[in-house]
Amino acid sequence: ERGAVLWALLEERERAGDAMRQGGSGRAALAQALAARCDTIGQRVRVDDVEGVAEGIEPDGALRVRRDDGSVALVRSGEVS
């Protein structure tokens, strides 16, 4: 039923917004939940001039990418391929 789906989405959005407003542990928990559902984690990715393996999502929402030289890049925007 569309109404039930819409209501569930709105409730989840509210929970995510509360977690972001809490900062600290709330943001970390939200980042972990997103990373658990993200197919990109563990895959080789390229975002603009950053290339490597996506390792996770930071509490601020940045994608953490481990480059081939071992360095870590935090990508906050761009098209991931």
Side-chain angles (χ1 to χ4, degrees):
E1 194 174 313
R2 283 188 269 181
V5 172
L6 177 59
W7 188 255
L9 287 171
L10 291 172
E11 286 180 330
E12 186 60 32
R13 168 62 182 95
E14 185 174 348
R15 278 193 291 275
D18 289 344
M20 291 300 287
R21 283 186 290 280
Q22 282 178 340
S25 63
R27 287 184 182 189
L30 181 58
Q32 286 177 335
L34 289 172
R37 292 171 177 80
C38 182
D39 292 337
T40 302
I41 305 302
Q43 301 296 317
R44 186 155 189 84
V45 297
R46 181 182 184 105
V47 185
D48 299 326
D49 62 339
V50 175
E51 189 171 343
V53 176
E55 288 190 327
I57 298 174
E58 295 292 306
D60 69 355
L63 179 65
R64 186 174 56 251
V65 179
R66 173 86 48 189
R67 293 180 171 136
D68 294 337
D69 66 3
S71 65
V72 174
L74 300 179
V75 180
R76 291 183 172 78
S77 67
E79 185 174 332
V80 177
S81 58

